[in-house]
Amino acid sequence: MGVLHILGVLAEFFPENMMIYSSKLISIYVNEIKMQMKSQSKKLDYLVLTGCLRGLNCYLVTFTQSAEEGAEYSWDIYNCVKQCITQQFSEQKRYDVPKAAMALIAKHAPQFNLYLIDDYKVMYERLKMWSRHYNREAKHAGYLALESVLRQISEMLVQRVKVSKQKDGAIFSYFIQEFRSIIDTSNNSKDLSIAIRGYGYFAAPCKLFLSQDDVKFMFGEMVQRSEQLYLMEATELAGEKVLHLPSFLEALASIVKELDVMPESFLSSLEKLVVVMFESYPLLRKNTSLDYLAHKAIIKVFMALTDKPAIQQTLISRIVYQGILRTCSHPVVMESGSVSAPAAAAENDSEGIQERDPRKIVYKDYMDLWLNLLDFARAKEFNALGFSLASKRVLTQRIYDEVVTSILKICSKLDLSTTKDSEQTATSQGGTIASEIDGATSSDPLCGLQASRPKDFVVFFNLVDFTRDLLLEKHKPLFKRWVYTYGHDIIVMATSNPHISGFYKLLTVCMKICDGINFFREPNAADEMKSDLEEMDVDMSTDVQNCLTLFTKFCKEVTERLKTYKGDLLVSYLQLVLSFPYQIVEGNITGMVTAVQLSLKIGLSYLPLAKAALKSLESWSAHLPPALLQMHYKAILPCLDDYLKTAATDADGTANQTVILTAGSSNRGRKKIPIKLLKQSSRNRDIKADDNDSLVLRILHFVGSLGGANNASLVSCTAAEVANIAVAWDTEKHLKFTIPFVDMKPVIYLDPFLPHVAELAVSSSDRQTKVAACELLHALVLYMLGSGAQQPESHQAKHPMDRLYRKLFPVLLKLSCDVEPVAKQLFHPLIMQMIHWFTRNVKFESPETVALLDAIMDGIVHPTDTSLRDVSASCVREFLVWSIKQISPQQQEKSPLNTKSLLKRVYSLALHPSPSRRLGASLTFNHVYSVFREEEALVDMFILELLVTFVDSLALAHADDQSLGTQEQCVQALGHIEKILVKKAMILNKEKKGRRIPKAFASATLHAAASWLLRQCGRPQAQCRRTCMHLFGRLVPHQTKLRCKTAADYMNMLVVAEGPGYFLARFEGGGYSGGVCQSGIAVAPTLPSLGDGQSGLRDSLQWFELLLAALDCYTWVFSEGFIEPAKLFAVGSSGSAKVFVAMDYFITQLAAKDITGMAAYRSSGEFFSPRDREEYNRSKCTVIVRIMDFLAAFLSRYSDQADAVIPMSFWSRELWDMILLTVLDPSCIGFNMADVEVITKLPQQLKLLLSTLSHHLPASQKHDLQKCIIFMLGTTGRNIPAMLPLSLTKADREMLHLSYLIDGYKLLHQAGLLLPALPEGGAAVQLPSQLLMSVYNGCEKCVQDCMSAAALTPSAKQLGSRQLELALAMNIQEDSLLLCLFGPPGDPSTVSMTSAACDLFYATFQAEINNCLVVVATLIPRVMQKISSQETRALNILVELLNHISRENNFKKKHGTTTVNTVLRHWTLLSCLWSATAAADQKKYGHYTSTQAAAYRLYGCYQQQAPCFPECF
C-alpha cells in the first residue's frame, strides 16, 4: 500500500520526473484495481486496493483522466471507485477502501462529471448513506464526496442548457424533491445540512429550469428552516450545529448569487445568520478546530453580492457593526505587564504574566476571524470562485472601511460619562482625615469618579484593544484615507472625556500607523508601497496638512496635562506623546522632553514605555536638527543612566538564577530528588533578561551615536544635588544618645545617621533595606520629638532643631504616600500626630511649626507627584482643624496664630508667577473650605482678603494653559468664597473693627466688595472678568447700602447717581482702579495709540485683550438687560464711549489681515514664528466672535435703539464682509478649523447672530447686508451653484473647505438670508435638485465606459452628506428625491439612473435620506405608493426607515411617533403584504412593519374613533 501511495505522491509533486512513467503507472493502478475487484479465487487485499486509490488520488492532480476529453482510463477508474463506494466489503473494519474512494471523488469529481450525471441516483444514495455513517472519518469523507458530486451535477445541468439547450428536468426534479422532503420532514441537522447545501448548488439550475420566483421561494424555504434551527431555540448552540452553520451560509450565498433582486426581508435573515456565525465562532474554534470554515462562509456571502454593490455595502455595514459589538461584549483581558494590573496579582505571579481562564470567551478569541476577513484576498481557496483580484481588493477596502466606521460609531454611542462618588465621602466618619476630604477638591482628577454605565466601559476597553490588535496588524495603507476623519473624531471625544485613557490609546494606534506608512513625510518618487492592495487615486497633500495642524495643536494640549495624571491614564498620555511623528515634535520640543523624562522614570518598572521613549529619541536624533536637541541632552541622558546601573547590578549578582538543592539517598542507588526552593519560569525569565539586555544595548548605541560632547551629560550632577549630599543638615548635634551597656555608657550622636537613613527609606530598591530604614527613621523621629519635649524652652531657644525638621518633614510626607505599605502604615499616622503636636505652639511663626507648614505647602505645590499633593492636602486640612481646636475662642477672634500663618502662605502662593504654586494655593483653600466656613471669627476676619487674593490669582492664570487646571481650581475657590459671602452677608454688611480691609477697598463691607468687583469686570483677563461678573450679580442683591433686589436695579441707580461715565470708565478702562483712566480702549481706542510701536505682535495682543474686555462688559449688561444702551450711551456723553471707535478700527484695519498684513500696516518689520501666527489668529478671531456676540445681544433686546446709539459708520461693508467670511470661509479669515472648540462652538454662535440680523436688523442695514451676501456668493470659490456638480471621487478641490462652505450656505438659509441672495427664478428652485443630483452622480464612477460603484473616501462621504443636508434644509423637491430613489430621471440622455445606481445612492447616504423622509411629511406615503410598481425597493426603504428610527434613540424620540402614525394612516397601501396570494417575503415585510408599529404602543390607533383605525382594521 505504501509503495503505491508514494508513487502517486511523486507524480503529484514531481511531475517532470514522472512524465515518462505516467502511462505505465496509470495502467498499474487500473489493472491492479480491476484484478482485486474481479478476482474470484484470490482474497481481496484491502491494503493494495487502498494504496491504489490513494495513489490515483495524487496521480490525477497532475495527469488527468477527464471523461469529457475521452481519456483511456477514465471509465475504468470511475467504475472501480463506484464499486468501492457502493459494494459492501466483508471483513472490513476500518473502512479504508471506501474512504479512499470517496476522497478521490471529492477531489476529482470534475473529471468524471459525465458519468456522475448518468449515475446520479446511485451515487447520491450511497454517498448520503456514508454521510450518515457512525464512523467519524467515513462520515466526513462522505460529506466531502457528496458535496463535490452535487456541485458537479449542478454544473452539468447548467452546462447542458447553455451548450445544447438540453434540459434534464427529471434529474433536477429528483434532487429538488429530495431536498424539499428533507426540509419538510427531517429535524436532523445532518440531513438538513445536506438539503441546504443541495439547494445552494441547484440554485443556478433552478434559475434556468424554473423562474426567478422559484429561486426566491427556494431561498425563503431555506432561510425559514435555518432560522428555526439557529435562531428560535433558546438553548446554546451545540458543537454539531455549529459545525454545519458555515455550510448553511455557503449554500445561502450560492442562492443569493442567482437572485436578481434581494428583498430586505431576505437580507435581514441573512444578516441574522451571519451574526450567529460570529457569536458561535469561539465555540467552533475551541471545540472543532474548523474555524477556517467560518470566515470562508462569511466571505462567500459577501462575494455573492458583488454584482449588487448597494446590497453588499448595506450587509457588510450591518454585519461588521454587529460583529464588533459581539466581539467586544466579553470580559476585559488584563494585559501582561500592564501598569493597571492589580498589585495583588503582581505579588502572586513573580513573572508578571497572568494566565486567563481558557474556558471564558474574550475578544482575542475572535481576532483570527477578523484577520482572515481582511486578508482573504491572499487565500488560494477563493481563487476558484471566479472573482478577479480587483473585486477582491474592492471588497477588502469595503470591509476595512466599515471596520473603522463601526469603531468610530460605537465609540460615539457608548455612554462613557462618570459621576463623583460623593455619597461615600459624605457618610464616612472614619478616623483618618483623608476619608473626610471631598473628592471634588482632590488634586487627582480621577479621584472619586465612578462609571455611569460600567457595561459600556467594558465594551470600550475591549474595543480599544481590538482596534490596536487589528489595525496595527493588517493593511496599514488602507488607513491613509481615514487619518483625518479618525483622528478628528477621536480628538473630539477625548476632549469631551479627558480622563478616559482609551481615547489616547486609539490615537496612539493612529500615530503608529501613520509612522508605518510614512504619512507625514514628503512624497518621494523612489518610495514604493509594498502592499499588494491597490492604492487609492487620491491626492493626500491636503489631508496631510490638515492632519498636521490637528495633531500639532492636540500635542501641545496633551503635553501640558502630563503633570496632573497618574497610573494608566498617565502611561496612555505618554505613549501617545511618544508616538507623535518628528514633524509635530519639532514645534513642541520642550514639552516632549518633559514627557521623555517622565517616560524613562516610569519605564524602570514598565519596560514598554522605556522602549517607546528610546525609539522616539532615536527618531528625533535622526531627523531633527542637532541644534534643537543639543540643549536638552543634559536633561534627558541622566535618565538613561539608571538603566545602565540596573544592568551592571544584574550582571554582578545572581538574583535571576534558580536555586535548586538536591538530596541524595544514602542507601539505594545514586538517584537524586530535586527540591525547588524558588519556582520560576525559565522561559519568561530569559525573555525578560533578553529585553533588558537589548534595551541596554540600544541605549549604549544611542549614547555612542551622540558623540563625546554629549556623553558627559549622562553622569552630570547639578550643584543642588552635590549640595544635598555634601552639606550637613545642621552644624550642631542634637540627638545625644547614651548606650546602656553594663560596664559603660558611651555617648553617641544620631544626627549624622539621619541623611543616609532617610535616603535609604525613600529610594532603596531592596525591600528589606527600605523597610529596615523606615523602621529606624520612625524610631529616630520619635526620639527627636521626645527629646524636644523634655527640654526647657530656654534650651530650645538656644538650640532649635528646626533645621533637622526642615530636612525630615519632606521625607516623612513622601513616605506617608509611598507605594510600600509598611512605610505608609508607619508614617501616615506619624505625620498626623506630629501636626497635632506642633499646632500647640503659643508663639506666632514658631520655627518647628513653620518648618512643618512649609513642608506641607511644598508638597501641595509639587508639579508632578499627585499622591504627594493628596497627602499634603489632607495634612493642611488637619493642620487647620487642630489649630482651631488648640486655641481659645477669644484668642481666635483676637489673633489666630497658625491660621494666619497658613493664610499668609496661601496668599503668597496664590500671587506667585509659577502656575503650579498658584494651583497649590487654590487646592489648599478648596480642601480647608469646609472647615474655614464653620468658624465665624475666621470668616469675618479673612474672607474679603481671600476674595481679592483669588481674583488677582485668577487674573495671573490668564496666560496659563487650560489643561493645567489653575483657572478651574481658582474658579472653584471663588465659588466657595461666593457661598460664604452669601451665607454671611448679614455679618459682612456691617463694619467691624477687627476685620482685615483689602487695600483696594474703601471699607470692609459687602457693598465695597460689590463695587470692587464691578471695577474688575473690565480687566483684560477673560476668565477673571467673567467670574467677577458672576460674583457681582450674586452679591449685589445681598448688600444693604443700596436698597435693590437685582443687579439691574443697582446699575440703574448708579447710572442716575453717577452718570454713564461711571460704567464707561469701568468697562473701557482695562481694570479701572479709580481716578482718571490710564489704560483700556478708553485711552487707546486704536492700535497705534497703544505702546511704543516697537513690537507689533505684543501690542496687538494686548490691544485685542483690552477690546475684548469692553465687548464682554457691554455684551453682559445688554444680554442680561441690566442697562439700556440709550442710558449708557446717552446723548451728550456718547462721545466718551470708545467701543464703537475701537470696533470700527478693528473691522476696517485688522479683521481681514493676517499677522504679516498687520506688521506691514504698522511697519514693524518683525519676523513671526508659526506659534506667533497661531496666537495672533486666535486672539483676532476671538475678537471677531465677541463682536458678533455684542451685535446679537444688542439687537435681540434693543433693536429699536440701534439707529440712535450705533454710529452709521459702524455699519460698513467691511463689517458684513467679516461676518460673511466667518460664515462661508472661516479658515480664510484666520479661524483654526482643526481646533475642536472652534468646530463645535462657532456654528452655534453664527446661527444665533444670523438669526438676530435677519429678524432685528434695521431695514437699511439689512438691505446692505443682502447686497454683500449677493456679492460674496458670486465670487469665485464660493459660488456653489456654479461649482456643481461637485466630484466625490477626484481630489481636484479641497473637500474639507467645500464642506465648510456648504455649512455656511446652510446657516444663511436657516436665517432666511440665502434665498433672497440667489438669482430670481431658476437658481433658488433648482439648487436643491442640483445638490441632490451632484451627490447621486458622485456615487458612481466611469471605468472603461461602464459605470461602477465609487469607493468614496470619508471626506467625500462627509461632503456628500453636507450637500444632502443643505438640499433638505432648502425644501428639496419630492419628485427629485423620488427619482433618485426609484428612477428613471426626467432626461435619460444626460444621466443614466439605473436600478443599481438608485440602490447604491440610498445605501451610501441612508441616514441623510431617512432624515429627509421623516421631515417631509408627504414623502412616506409616496414611497408606500411605489409598492405597486417597485415593490422590493419601496419596501426596502420603508423597512430601513423603521430600522433607522428604532436604532437611533434621539431620532426615535423626535420623529418615531409621527412616522409610525403616518405609516398607519396609509396602511391600506400595504394590503398586498398579507393578501392570500402574497409571497413569503411579502408576508415577512408585513409582519415586520406591524411589529415596528406595535412597538411604539400607539394605543390611540386601536380605538374606533382614531383616523387610522379603518385602515388598520
Side-chain angles (χ1 to χ4, degrees), residues 41 195 204 585 738 864 885 900 904 1071 1303:
S41 58
V585 171
T738 304
T864 58
K885 282 184 178 181
K900 190 181 297 184
K904 183 178 73 171
D1303 286 344

Side-chain angles (χ1 to χ4, degrees), residues 507-551:
L507 282 174
T508 303
V509 172
C510 179
M511 292 295 98
K512 289 183 177 179
I513 295 177
C514 290
D515 180 62
I517 62 177
N518 298 328
F519 181 78
F520 292 103
R521 288 188 182 180
E522 293 293 334
N524 187 354
D527 292 340
E528 295 182 359
M529 302 305 295
K530 296 182 180 180
S531 175
D532 61 346
L533 290 172
E534 182 181 8
E535 289 292 335
M536 302 305 299
D537 185 18
V538 177
D539 181 12
M540 304 301 294
S541 59
T542 303
D543 278 350
V544 171
Q545 188 58 44
N546 292 334
C547 292
L548 274 175
T549 306
L550 178 70
F551 293 130

